[in-house]
């Protein structure tokens, strides 16, 4: 039930209907908009909204949906029920095009993605729209018959019947003869000077005539049919063509009678299909309405929420659609509202300053709920939840009536009476300025009593008021909650934000001061109400302010939680991808294991052949057999039925051993190749340039690049060398070493001797060395000094990478440190840390 009769105009729904009708393609859709009604059935509402949602998706996904011809010919078709009636050419043309549109729409929506042979396996891309096509008839045979009668311009074809074809041929011959005769008479009259040279034949009353001046009209024999407005020219039909023109009139009458006969015969065919044709136009009207709803939804940026079958409201970011459109024209944005009505908090009492948005909030609730239950998209957030109400009752505005002898307050009381009578647990009440219109004390008392009745009936509602007793009622009664429209005291302006949980202040003193009321008047008013009232109002304002602060905090936390959930979901996806990648790696490992098994057989065959061919000695044979036995044991350890990770690990070990063996062979060959060069070098026959090209060898004297400490190579393993510096032994890459400058023979050799205490100090420093140094807060010279010692220690203990934490700041410290790093030869490279671990605030240094 909707109360009162002026409900739609009070909440602005009449403007919504007007916007919908503007978006209809025909009177079919406009009529459906006018007949659009409120429903309290959640299933019906959800079906309506699903139709709109699917049509919006259809518009986005497809550009071939047939929406060309929406013509309303229902009255013309209904007229065919009477015998002897027919459609004229224009009506028949509109019927043909609209029936074709209906047929195309039905075929489009009946497209299925499943097995066309099995009805149960068919799936439709737009199921709700597809359901509309059930029991809708299409008329391809009628369309085909109309195409035999009308051409593409909607005119009856010459070959629509044999008689019509003969009539039109005779008509064309007669008109051609008349034209020749008339032009002959015209040229003769022009040569005699009776008619001007630039005159051409004209048509009057469907007959061809010649324009002649008034004074010369008796010179041409014929019938005068008309004269010009000035009377200077008359239009004469020459006597020679009168009979021919009469014949044309007769042929045209014959043509018209034949066309009517054709159309009448077709009407007899259509007459038996009048009812299904009219039903199909209902389908076309429904499609027009759904399209208008979809276009309206795009206009207001609305959504189609799921409607639950019980009364409640939980709207997030709700906006009044008409206010939103109005502000958009002014390039402004509407302030959205978060509104909640539940079984625990059914009635919301909104208080706050005048012009603060209380009435707009109330109208927003009424309009959006009514739009929703009419099957329209609404302007709320995606996470909003909606319910359905059986009754929506409203009391807003001035209802005084001179005719009915009702004052403003009397009309309000009459509305309260009807509302109490109709209220139940599925009723939504919308009451503006509850209790006003009479003496405040008694008005507030009556309002409180009425509110108690609404609570007893468990009705839902949004009520605006300034009365303190109603605010106290909300605090002390279950199911009723206070709400406040917020106001900025510093800037003295309304914020139009709804805060649920605390009552609002009217800010009467602040507003009076803002508009310039004399301070003396404001002071006197404050004394009249008393300081306690003023202080309590200020405390209330402070509470509202604090609540707004913590509400903003809560929203920020919620946003962070949402971001964290998205991050967790991202990591979970990555873990799944890694797991999938692991499985693929294990699969490849198993395939490699099979290849190794095949290779083992080949290895055995090659070994036997090698022993036979080389006639190897015992020692060589023993070595070959040992290699073969080692390879067999490696292969034997692999069990394809064992744990996947074990398989992967074993395959990797075998591959690493194989690579090391090949590497040792290569190094051995290179060492033999270089022996000649090395011998030459030791005899002093090669130049310094040749020395640089020869790899370092065991026993050579070397030093760390950039340092003066001299040591001797104990052993070399690939790119790693074991070097003895005095009494300290260390491992480092050969690329970090260089040959020491050769000593002259006459100079005594000097060796670096490292004492026991010094060696312990170095070992201790190596043990306690950390790869990171923090120089934030230091001056430039202090930071450079610290970095100098840090880099020296890193080189000494053999670190390949260290990190310097200098922070971002102005960037001076980062610049000084990097300039210093450029001067150190042992620094291979330096760069910013990854942004996830510090970015430009940390410099990562790679050492040789």
């Amino acid at each position: 039930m909707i109360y009162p009769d002026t409900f739609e105009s009070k909440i602005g729904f009449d403007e919504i209907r007007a916007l919908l009708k503007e978006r209809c393609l025909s009177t079919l859709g406009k009529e459906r908009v006018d007949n659009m009604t409120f429903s309290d059935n959640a299933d019906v509402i959800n079906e309506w909204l699903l139709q709109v949602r699917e049509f919006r998706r259809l518009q986005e996904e497809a550009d071939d949906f047939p929406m060309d011809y929406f013509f309303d010919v229902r009255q013309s078709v209904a007229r065919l029920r009477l015998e002897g009636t027919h459609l004229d050419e224009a009506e028949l043309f509109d019927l043909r095009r609209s029936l074709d549109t209906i047929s195309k729409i039905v075929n489009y929506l009946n497209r299925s993605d499943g097995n066309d042979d099995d009805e149960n396996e068919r799936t439709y891309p737009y199921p709700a729209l597809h359901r509309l096509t059930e029991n809708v008839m299409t008329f391809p045979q009628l369309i085909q018959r109309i195409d035999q009668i009308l051409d593409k311009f909607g005119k009856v074809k010459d070959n629509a019947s044999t008689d019509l074809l003969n009539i039109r041929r005779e008509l064309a011959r007669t008109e051609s003869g008349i034209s020749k005769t008339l032009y002959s008479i015209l040229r003769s009259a022009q040569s005699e000077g009776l008619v001007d040279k630039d005159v051409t034949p004209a048509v009057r009353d469907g007959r061809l005539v010649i324009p002649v001046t008034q004074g010369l009209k008796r010179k041409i024999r014929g019938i005068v049919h008309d004269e010009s407005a000035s009377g200077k020219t008359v239009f004469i039909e020459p006597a020679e063509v009168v009979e021919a023109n009469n014949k044309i009139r007769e042929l045209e009458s014959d043509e018209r009678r034949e066309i009517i006969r054709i159309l009448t015969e077709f009407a007899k065919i259509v007459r038996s299909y009048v009812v299904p044709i009219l039903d199909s136009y209902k389908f076309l009207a429904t499609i027009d309405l759904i399209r208008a709803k979809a276009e309206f939804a795009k206009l207001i940026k609305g959504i189609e929420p799921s409607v639950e079958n019980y009364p409640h409201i939980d709207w997030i970011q709700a906006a009044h659609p008409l206010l939103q459109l109005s502000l958009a024209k002014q390039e402004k944005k509407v302030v959205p509202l978060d509104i909640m009505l539940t079984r625990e908090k059914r009635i919301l009492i909104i208080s706050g300053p005048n012009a603060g948005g209380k009435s707009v909030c109330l109208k927003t609730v009424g309009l959006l709920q009514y739009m929703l239950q009419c099957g329209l998209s609404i302007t709320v957030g995606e996470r909003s939840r909606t319910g359905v109400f059986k009754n929506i009752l409203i009391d807003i505005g001035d209802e005084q009536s001179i005719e009915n002898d009702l004052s403003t307050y009397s009309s309000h009381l009459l509305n309260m009476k009807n509302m109490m009578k109709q209220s139940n647990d599925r009723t939504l009440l919308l009451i503006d300025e509850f209790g006003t219109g009479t003496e405040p004390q008694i008005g507030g008392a009556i309002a409180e009593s009425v509110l108690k009745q609404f609570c007893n009936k468990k009705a839902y509602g949004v009520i605006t008021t300034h009365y303190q007793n109603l605010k106290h009622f909300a605090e002390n009664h279950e199911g009723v909650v206070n709400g406040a429209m917020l106001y900025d005291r510093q800037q003295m302006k309304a914020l139009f934000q709804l805060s649920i949980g605390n009552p609002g202040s009217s800010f009467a003193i602040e507003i009076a001061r803002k508009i310039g009321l004399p301070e003396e008047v404001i002071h006197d008013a404050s004394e009249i109400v008393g300081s306690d009232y003023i202080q309590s109002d200020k405390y209330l304002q402070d509470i509202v302010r604090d609540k707004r602060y913590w509400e903003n905090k809560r929203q920020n936390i919620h946003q962070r939680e949402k971001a964290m959930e998205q991050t967790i979901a991202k990591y979970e996806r990555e873990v799944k991808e890694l797991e999938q990648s692991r499985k693929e790696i294990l699969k490849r490992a198993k395939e490699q294991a099979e290849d190794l098994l095949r290779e083992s057989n080949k290895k055995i065959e090659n070994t036997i052949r090698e022993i036979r061919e080389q006639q190897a000695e015992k020692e060589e044979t023993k070595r070959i057999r040992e290699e073969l036995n080692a390879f067999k044991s490696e292969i034997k350890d692999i069990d394809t039925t064992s744990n996947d990770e074990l398989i992967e690990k074993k395959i990797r070990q075998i591959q690493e051993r194989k690579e090391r063996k090949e590497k040792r062979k290569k190094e051995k060959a290179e060492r033999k190749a270089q022996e000649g060069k090395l011998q030459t070098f030791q005899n002093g026959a090669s130049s310094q340039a040749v020395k640089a090209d020869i790899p370092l060898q065991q026993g050579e004297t070397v030093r760390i690049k950039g340092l003066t400490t001299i040591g001797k190579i104990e052993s070399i393993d690939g790119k790693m060398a074991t070097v003895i510096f005095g009494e300290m032994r260390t491992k480092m890459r050969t690329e970090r070493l260089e040959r020491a400058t050769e000593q002259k023979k006459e100079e005594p050799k000097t060796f670096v001797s490292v004492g026991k205490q010094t060696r312990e100090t170095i070992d201790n420093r190596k043990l306690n060395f950390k790869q990171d140094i923090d120089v934030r807060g230091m001056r430039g010279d202090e930071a450079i000094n610290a970095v100098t010692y840090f880099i020296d220690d890193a080189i000494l203990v053999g670190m390949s990478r260290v990190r310097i934490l200098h922070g971002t700041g102005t960037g001076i410290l980062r610049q000084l440190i990097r300039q210093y790093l450029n001067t150190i030869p042992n620094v291979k490279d330096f760069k910013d840390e990854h942004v996830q671990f510090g970015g430009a605030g940390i410099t990562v240094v790679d050492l040789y």
Side-chain angles (χ1 to χ4, degrees):
M1 173 186 175
I2 300 300
Y3 176 86
D5 295 337
T6 56
F7 176 89
E8 291 192 0
S9 61
K10 285 181 177 293
I11 63 171
F13 192 75
D14 51 347
E15 296 180 48
I16 300 294
R17 285 190 191 272
L19 291 172
L20 282 170
K21 291 171 76 171
E22 289 175 4
R23 282 151 184 80
C24 291
L25 298 175
S26 69
T27 55
L28 292 164
K30 293 178 181 179
E31 184 179 304
R32 291 298 297 271
V33 171
D34 288 334
N35 295 332
M36 190 168 54
T37 57
F38 163 94
S39 174
D40 58 3
N41 187 318
D43 293 335
V44 172
I45 298 170
N46 281 321
E47 184 71 9
W48 288 345
L49 294 175
L50 183 58
Q51 291 167 3
V52 178
R53 191 181 306 121
E54 289 183 358
F55 200 92
R56 293 179 70 177
R57 181 163 57 87
L58 184 150
Q59 289 178 314
E60 294 173 358
E61 297 174 350
D63 55 0
D64 57 343
F65 188 73
M67 297 293 293
D68 296 328
Y69 303 111
F70 278 65
F71 297 109
D72 185 4
V73 292
R74 290 174 298 171
Q75 292 184 354
S76 302
V77 173
R79 191 177 67 240
L80 294 180
R81 292 170 176 168
L82 300 175
E83 292 289 340
T85 57
H86 66 275
L87 301 176
D88 61 27
E89 293 174 68
E91 291 172 337
L92 186 60
F93 194 42
D94 288 346
L95 176 65
R96 184 251 180 259
R97 289 183 291 178
S98 55
L99 287 179
D100 186 50
T101 298
I102 293 170
S103 179
K104 289 179 178 178
I105 291 175
V106 170
N107 292 335
Y108 191 97
L109 297 179
N110 281 333
R111 295 178 183 176
S112 62
D113 299 331
N115 185 359
D116 291 340
D117 297 330
D118 190 345
E119 181 68 29
N120 296 326
E121 294 184 6
R122 291 184 188 178
T123 58
Y124 300 93
Y126 311 105
L129 296 176
H130 164 72
R131 286 191 287 272
L132 293 174
T133 64
E134 295 177 2
N135 302 320
V136 176
M137 288 184 61
T138 56
F139 307 93
Q141 294 179 347
L142 291 181
I143 295 172
Q144 184 179 3
R145 176 57 184 141
I146 295 174
D147 288 339
Q148 294 173 353
I149 297 174
L150 301 181
D151 60 17
K152 61 181 180 180
F153 302 108
K155 301 299 181 183
V156 177
K157 294 181 177 180
D158 292 348
N159 59 356
S161 72
T162 304
D163 291 342
L164 183 62
L165 180 61
N166 295 332
I167 291 171
R168 286 185 173 175
R169 285 177 178 175
E170 181 63 24
L171 186 61
R173 286 194 295 268
T174 304
E175 286 177 345
S176 176
I178 291 175
S179 179
K180 291 178 181 178
T181 303
L182 196 63
Y183 272 101
S184 175
I185 295 172
L186 180 62
R187 285 193 294 271
S188 176
Q190 288 173 340
S191 63
E192 295 176 4
L194 302 178
V195 180
D196 294 336
K197 295 293 185 181
D198 58 348
V199 168
T200 58
V203 177
R204 288 293 184 273
D205 296 331
R207 306 176 78 91
L208 288 171
V209 295
I210 298 175
V212 181
T213 57
Q214 183 73 29
L216 300 174
K217 65 180 180 180
R218 298 188 183 279
K219 300 291 185 178
I220 297 179
R221 188 167 59 88
I223 301 171
V224 176
H225 282 276
D226 197 5
E227 64 179 22
S228 64
S230 63
K232 294 181 179 179
T233 303
V234 294
F235 296 92
I236 300 175
E237 179 186 12
E240 293 84 347
V241 298
V242 170
E243 287 299 325
N245 273 330
N246 289 337
K247 185 177 181 181
I248 287 177
R249 285 292 183 88
E250 292 176 1
L251 289 173
E252 287 176 346
S253 297
D254 294 342
E255 179 190 29
R256 185 59 193 162
R257 281 193 297 271
E258 181 60 20
I259 289 174
I260 291 174
R261 187 194 67 78
I262 294 171
L263 296 177
T264 303
E265 288 297 321
F266 177 74
K268 293 179 182 178
I269 301 173
V270 176
R271 189 166 291 117
S272 58
Y273 296 103
V274 167
V275 173
I277 288 176
L278 294 177
D279 290 338
S280 68
Y281 274 93
K282 292 180 182 178
F283 167 75
L284 193 63
T286 301
I287 295 297
D288 196 5
L289 174 64
I290 294 172
R291 177 193 172 278
K293 288 181 178 181
E295 293 295 327
F296 176 72
K298 288 194 289 186
L299 175 69
I300 65 172
K301 299 180 176 64
I303 67 167
E304 300 78 39
S306 177
V307 179
E308 296 166 317
N309 193 23
Y310 65 94
H312 72 285
I313 289 175
D314 185 5
W315 296 344
I316 300 171
Q317 300 286 301
H320 194 291
L322 298 176
L323 180 60
Q324 180 175 280
L325 293 176
S326 176
L327 292 177
K329 294 177 181 177
Q330 306 172 35
E331 297 184 350
K332 297 179 181 179
K333 291 186 177 180
V334 68
V335 179
L337 304 170
D338 292 348
I339 304 170
M340 180 181 292
L341 298 178
T342 64
R343 290 189 177 97
E344 293 75 25
K345 298 178 181 179
R346 297 185 306 276
I347 299 179
L348 174 63
I349 305 293
I350 302 177
S351 52
N354 289 317
K358 298 190 301 297
S359 297
V360 172
C361 178
L362 183 142
K363 288 185 177 181
T364 300
V365 174
L367 180 58
L368 291 183
Q369 187 64 39
Y370 192 71
M371 287 172 58
L372 179 70
Q373 295 191 224
C374 286
L376 295 177
S377 307
I378 59 175
T379 46
V380 297
E382 292 285 350
R383 293 184 294 114
S384 301
R385 298 174 60 234
T386 61
V388 62
F389 294 90
K390 187 174 183 178
N391 305 315
I392 303 181
L393 315 177
I394 190 170
D395 178 31
I396 185 171
D398 190 355
E399 292 285 351
Q400 65 176 330
S401 172
I402 297 175
E403 294 83 358
N404 298 327
D405 193 22
L406 287 176
S407 67
T408 300
Y409 187 64
S410 299
S411 67
H412 285 312
L413 289 179
L414 181 60
N415 287 337
M416 293 304 105
K417 172 189 171 183
N418 291 326
M419 286 182 172
M420 286 187 290
K421 183 179 179 180
Q422 299 295 335
S423 294
N424 56 35
D425 60 354
R426 298 196 66 185
T427 297
L428 176 63
L429 304 169
L430 304 170
I431 304 175
D432 193 30
E433 300 294 348
F434 194 25
T436 57
T438 188
E439 193 272 321
Q441 189 170 358
I442 187 63
I446 294 175
E448 184 174 342
S449 179
V450 172
L451 181 57
K452 188 180 295 183
Q453 292 296 317
F454 291 151
C455 289
N456 293 337
K457 294 193 174 187
K458 300 187 180 303
Y460 294 75
V462 177
I463 298 173
T464 68
T465 187
H466 289 284
Y467 286 167
Q468 291 290 341
N469 66 312
L470 298 182
K471 300 177 188 179
H472 295 316
F473 183 92
E475 293 292 335
N476 300 324
H477 288 77
E478 185 179 351
V480 186
V481 63
N482 272 309
M485 299 306 298
L486 302 183
Y487 190 84
D488 191 333
R489 279 191 298 174
Q490 279 68 37
Q491 299 185 18
M492 298 299 293
K493 68 176 184 180
L495 299 177
F496 305 106
Q497 296 177 3
L498 174 63
S499 174
I500 297 177
N502 290 310
S505 170
S506 296
F507 293 95
I509 298 296
E510 289 80 357
I511 294 174
R513 187 173 283 116
K514 178 184 177 181
I515 65 175
L517 210 62
E519 192 64 34
E520 180 182 358
V521 175
I522 296 173
H523 181 71
D524 289 345
S526 299
E527 289 184 347
I528 291 172
V529 299
S531 61
D532 291 342
Y533 180 85
I534 297 297
Q535 289 301 321
S536 65
D537 199 38
K538 288 183 179 179
Y539 293 150
L540 183 60
Q541 296 170 16
D542 292 339
I543 291 171
V544 172
R545 180 199 60 205
D546 293 342
K547 187 175 185 299
R548 185 175 59 183
Y549 171 80
W550 290 112
E551 181 65 22
N552 290 334
K553 285 286 188 183
R554 186 189 67 80
Q555 291 179 358
N556 290 336
I557 292 172
H558 178 73
Q559 291 174 357
R560 290 177 182 271
E561 287 178 349
K562 187 175 181 181
M564 185 174 65
E565 289 174 359
Q566 293 174 349
T567 304
I568 292 172
K570 175 186 174 184
Y571 288 152
E572 288 177 349
R573 288 195 303 270
E574 291 178 353
V575 168
K576 289 181 180 178
E577 292 173 358
L578 288 173
E579 181 64 23
Q580 182 64 28
S581 177
R582 189 185 75 85
K583 291 179 179 179
E584 293 176 357
I585 291 172
L586 292 177
K587 182 180 178 181
R588 289 197 298 271
K590 288 182 178 180
E591 292 174 353
Q592 291 176 2
E594 293 175 357
D595 293 339
L596 285 172
L597 289 173
R598 286 192 294 270
E599 184 182 350
S600 66
N601 294 328
K602 186 177 179 181
K603 181 79 173 178
I604 293 169
E605 293 173 0
N606 291 337
T607 302
I608 295 172
R609 187 176 64 252
E610 186 178 350
I611 293 173
R612 289 176 177 175
E613 290 177 354
Q614 294 184 1
Q615 297 295 321
E617 297 178 357
K618 290 184 177 181
E619 291 296 326
E620 184 67 19
T621 303
K622 183 179 180 182
R623 183 188 63 78
I624 294 173
R625 290 186 181 277
E626 286 176 353
E627 290 181 0
L628 179 60
N629 291 333
F631 185 79
K632 284 182 178 179
S633 64
E634 290 173 351
I635 299 301
K636 192 174 182 181
D637 288 341
I638 299 177
D639 182 2
T640 55
T641 63
S642 63
N643 183 270
D644 290 341
E645 294 183 359
L646 185 60
I647 293 173
E648 181 187 7
K649 182 178 178 181
K650 197 66 182 176
I651 292 296
R652 187 165 60 249
Q653 290 176 351
I654 293 173
Q655 290 177 340
E656 289 175 354
R657 289 175 188 171
K658 192 174 181 182
E659 290 173 358
R660 285 199 300 269
K661 183 183 290 185
E662 292 177 354
K663 187 177 179 181
R664 284 196 296 270
K665 288 182 179 178
K666 185 177 180 182
E667 288 175 353
K668 186 177 180 180
E670 290 177 353
R671 194 178 299 116
K672 288 181 179 179
Q674 295 296 335
E675 283 179 356
K677 292 183 179 179
L678 181 59
Q679 186 65 35
T680 305
F681 165 72
Q682 291 174 346
N683 294 333
S686 62
S687 64
Q688 190 67 24
V690 174
K691 294 180 189 178
D693 293 334
I694 299 174
L696 296 174
Q697 301 296 326
Q698 180 178 346
E700 287 193 77
T701 301
V702 294
R703 66 184 175 194
I704 300 173
K705 293 180 180 179
L707 299 179
T708 58
T709 304
I710 296 175
K712 182 171 287 187
I713 298 176
E714 183 182 32
S715 63
I716 296 177
D717 184 9
K719 294 185 178 180
M720 298 298 294
T722 303
V723 186
I724 299 175
F725 294 96
E727 296 182 9
M728 184 181 71
R729 179 182 286 105
T730 183
K731 278 191 175 183
M732 60 179 60
R733 292 183 178 273
T734 57
E735 60 189 10
R736 295 180 57 197
L737 300 174
E738 63 181 4
R739 290 184 176 86
T741 305
E742 291 190 14
Q743 305 290 334
K744 293 182 179 180
K745 290 182 179 180
E746 61 272 22
E747 292 181 356
K749 295 183 180 180
T750 58
F751 297 93
V752 177
S753 178
V754 181
K756 182 178 180 181
Q757 184 178 358
T758 304
R759 186 180 65 183
E760 289 176 355
T761 302
I762 293 173
D763 291 340
N764 186 52
R765 180 171 295 182
K766 184 174 182 180
L767 183 63
N768 296 322
F769 182 80
K770 296 182 179 179
Q771 289 183 274
D772 301 272
I773 184 173
D774 188 353
V775 297
R776 291 179 296 181
M778 296 184 184
R779 296 194 303 271
D781 54 344
E782 294 176 344
I784 295 299
N785 190 41
V787 170
T788 300
Y789 285 110
F790 177 67
I791 295 296
D792 286 345
D793 290 344
I795 294 172
L796 185 61
V797 301
M799 285 293 170
S800 61
R801 170 171 289 189
V802 294
R803 299 165 77 247
I804 303 174
L805 175 59
H806 45 66
T808 52
T810 60
I812 298 298
L813 195 58
R814 174 174 177 268
Q815 183 179 356
L816 289 173
I817 291 172
R818 294 196 173 196
Q819 287 176 353
Y820 169 72
L821 293 174
N822 273 323
T823 65
I824 303 175
N826 288 75
V827 174
K828 182 179 181 181
D829 186 25
F830 55 84
K831 58 188 176 182
D832 287 341
E833 178 61 276
H834 191 279
V835 67
Q836 186 176 357
F837 303 106
I842 298 175
T843 295
V844 178
V845 184
D846 292 325
L847 302 172
Y848 285 104

